[in-house]
Amino acid sequence: MLKEYLKRVSRDTIVYGFGNVVLSSISFFLVPIYTRIFSPGDYGVLDVISTVSSLLSMALLLGMSSAVFRFYHDNDEAGKRDLVSTGFWFQSLAPLVVCAVLAPFSGSLSRILFGHGRYSPFILVSLLTIPFNAMMRMPITVMRLNFQKIRFNLLVLGRGLFQTLLTIVLVVFLRKGLIGIFVSGLVSAVLFSGVGLFLTARHVKFSFSLKQFRVLLSFGVPMVPASLSRWVMGSADRLFLVKMTTLREVGLYSVGFKLAALQTFLFMAFQLAWSPIAYSMYRKPEAERVFRKVFLYFLLLSSALSMFLSLFSLEALKILTRPAYYDGHMVVGLLAFGRVLHAAFYLGAMGICFANKMKYYALSIVCGAAMNLVLNSLLVPLFGIVGAAVATASSYGLEACLGYYWARKVYPLRLPFSKVAILT
């Protein structure tokens, strides 16, 4: 039984990983283009606006997708459709209303972020993109819950390839500059949110269940501070850098972050494969044994990749970028190791989700975020991008320790945390 689960996780990780490999290849294909067309300052503007957009998205979604994951298998077929439909309509309409209200104030938002209104058009297009990205989340969740790996890859890869081609046309051939990147994101989000809904239409009804909405909120609302804190840990460093250093420093950090994101692509592929399996079998007698092995094997693999990225980051940037960006290699190892610690939290704290004690899950991330803010404020003025990377990695470490501690109290899984800590 253990071997069957491990084979299933490995197989699904490879299947989901294929899409992530292609998308990461696309991402790295764009890096040399961006770094030769845009200055580090331009790259910083792109990253700051993307960072703020992700914050707004997290705040508006109220953890609906995570909540659907938690309760999907507790319902019969009719209940599953009610659950998915309720989550979809809230997740689609709430961002639409809020972003429509914020759109006229894009100039003010530009002045708050950058001190002038020059980037107002970029922020406006980014706001328009958020609701359509939100509409894609529920179809993707449904595909994962029903193990529709081929449809998932077609949707995600199709969007990635389309957006990349459109970006190249707008930026390279039509020379539209940064606005071309934001417009390609909007067009691809509109098109593929429709494709995603078409592929999962039988799971979504024109109905809204207040009963299911209360169930979703009971799980999702505690995820809001967790999501916002997660954003702080993954993105606030860019805002500290833009306020305390220069846009050039933000650009260097962003390039290093993209290289370290190879670690993230591995984790995303694993998470996409493991979450549906974990939630479908956590009540079974063999669950603890399976979780222990998955925890150990994945974190060892993740640590090995982190070490590889740290050793060869400068060589990679020499291939992908030009000399103005080479200093970005200084943060790659720290950021990659931070993603290992993030994976440790995800695996170690799953027991909190199984027990539906989400206050502990949120508290772990909130404490990590608080540490992130304190360390960024202290270290960025002194050490610049390296200080930001240290702050990020350290906050992930605190999060992992707290998550594991509270998970053992509410849903004890004797995971080999100390063994992995020694080996990494």
Side-chain angles (χ1 to χ4, degrees):
M1 184 64 72
L2 174 61
K3 287 184 178 180
E4 291 179 8
Y5 278 114
L6 292 178
K7 286 181 180 178
R8 186 177 174 189
V9 174
S10 301
R11 183 180 65 249
D12 286 2
T13 299
I14 291 171
V15 172
Y16 286 118
F18 171 76
N20 280 305
V21 167
V22 175
L23 289 176
S24 62
S25 300
I26 293 171
S27 178
F28 279 105
F29 174 71
L30 288 174
V31 168
I33 296 175
Y34 288 171
T35 55
R36 281 160 177 79
I37 294 177
F38 303 122
S39 68
D42 291 333
Y43 211 101
V45 170
L46 174 64
D47 202 53
V48 168
I49 295 176
S50 299
T51 297
V52 173
S53 294
S54 68
L55 168 64
L56 184 57
S57 296
M58 288 181 183
L60 293 173
L61 295 177
L62 291 184
M64 286 290 117
S65 292
S66 298
V68 169
F69 245 106
R70 170 60 182 83
F71 296 108
Y72 187 80
H73 292 291
D74 294 343
N75 287 271
D76 57 19
E77 289 304 314
K80 289 176 180 177
R81 283 193 295 273
D82 285 338
L83 190 76
V84 169
S85 301
T86 301
F88 172 79
W89 290 115
F90 176 82
Q91 201 166 256
S92 299
L93 295 177
L96 183 63
V97 171
V98 173
C99 290
V101 171
L102 290 176
F105 301 99
S106 58
S108 299
L109 293 173
S110 177
R111 284 187 286 274
I112 291 171
L113 290 173
F114 303 105
H116 52 75
R118 191 185 313 158
Y119 302 122
S120 173
F122 305 158
I123 293 175
L124 176 60
V125 176
S126 184
L127 286 172
L128 296 176
T129 305
I130 289 172
F132 295 101
N133 280 333
M135 289 180 190
M136 282 191 65
R137 293 178 68 92
M138 195 57 66
I140 287 174
T141 298
V142 169
M143 291 175 189
R144 290 175 61 195
L145 284 166
N146 289 278
F147 303 99
Q148 297 172 331
K149 296 180 284 291
I150 294 177
R151 287 191 175 191
F152 173 88
N153 273 322
L154 287 174
L155 179 64
V156 174
L157 282 176
R159 186 204 170 153
L161 291 170
F162 177 84
Q163 185 172 342
T164 300
L165 292 173
L166 185 57
T167 298
I168 292 171
V169 170
L170 292 174
V171 174
V172 178
F173 295 105
L174 299 181
R175 301 187 180 279
K176 296 298 183 181
L178 283 177
I179 192 65
I181 298 175
F182 291 103
V183 169
S184 68
L186 173 59
V187 174
S188 62
V190 172
L191 177 61
F192 283 89
S193 61
V195 173
L197 184 57
F198 173 77
L199 291 175
T200 55
R202 69 183 183 88
H203 297 276
V204 179
K205 304 185 300 182
F206 289 98
S207 64
F208 190 91
S209 169
L210 289 177
K211 177 182 178 182
Q212 294 286 20
F213 187 57
R214 285 192 292 268
V215 170
L216 291 172
L217 286 180
S218 70
F219 188 93
V221 168
M223 294 293 286
V224 174
S227 296
L228 295 177
S229 299
R230 170 70 62 229
W231 175 89
V232 168
M233 295 172 67
S235 303
D237 42 17
R238 260 63 62 85
L239 298 184
F240 277 95
L241 287 169
V242 78
K243 292 298 182 182
M244 296 181 172
T245 60
T246 64
L247 283 173
R248 178 184 178 275
E249 292 284 293
V250 181
L252 294 176
Y253 191 84
S254 300
V255 168
F257 190 92
K258 271 197 176 298
L259 184 56
L262 278 174
Q263 185 78 351
T264 305
F265 287 124
L266 172 65
F267 173 66
M268 286 174 59
F270 169 75
Q271 187 180 29
L272 290 169
W274 174 237
S275 292
I277 296 173
Y279 279 108
S280 66
M281 55 85 68
Y282 73 91
R283 291 189 179 95
K284 296 182 179 180
E286 66 272 16
E288 181 176 339
R289 190 175 173 216
V290 175
F291 291 160
R292 285 174 60 86
K293 292 296 183 182
V294 169
F295 181 87
L296 178 62
Y297 295 156
F298 179 75
L299 288 186
L300 289 178
L301 176 62
S302 186
S303 298
L305 177 57
S306 174
M307 181 65 70
F308 178 83
L309 290 172
S310 180
L311 291 173
F312 297 103
S313 57
L314 179 58
E315 287 74 14
L317 289 181
K318 287 181 177 179
I319 295 171
L320 293 168
T321 68
R322 53 192 172 93
Y325 288 89
Y326 290 172
D327 286 346
H329 85 277
M330 294 186 294
V331 302
V332 174
L334 288 166
L335 293 174
F337 182 64
R339 303 310 296 184
V340 177
L341 297 173
H342 174 51
F345 168 77
Y346 165 74
L347 288 164
M350 286 198 88
I352 298 174
C353 301
F354 299 152
N356 199 17
K357 300 291 184 179
M358 298 309 294
K359 62 180 181 181
Y360 297 116
Y361 191 94
L363 188 57
S364 301
I365 305 177
V366 168
C367 290
M371 182 179 186
N372 184 284
L373 293 174
V374 171
L375 290 180
N376 267 303
S377 65
L378 294 174
L379 298 179
V380 168
L382 296 174
F383 304 106
I385 60 175
V386 174
V390 169
T392 298
S394 301
S395 60
Y396 281 128
L398 177 63
E399 171 197 61
C401 292
L402 291 176
Y404 179 69
Y405 170 77
W406 277 312
R408 291 198 63 172
K409 290 184 173 296
V410 298
Y411 191 91
L413 292 170
R414 295 187 296 272
L415 300 176
F417 206 95
S418 58
K419 188 182 295 186
V420 172
I422 292 171
L423 293 174
T424 55

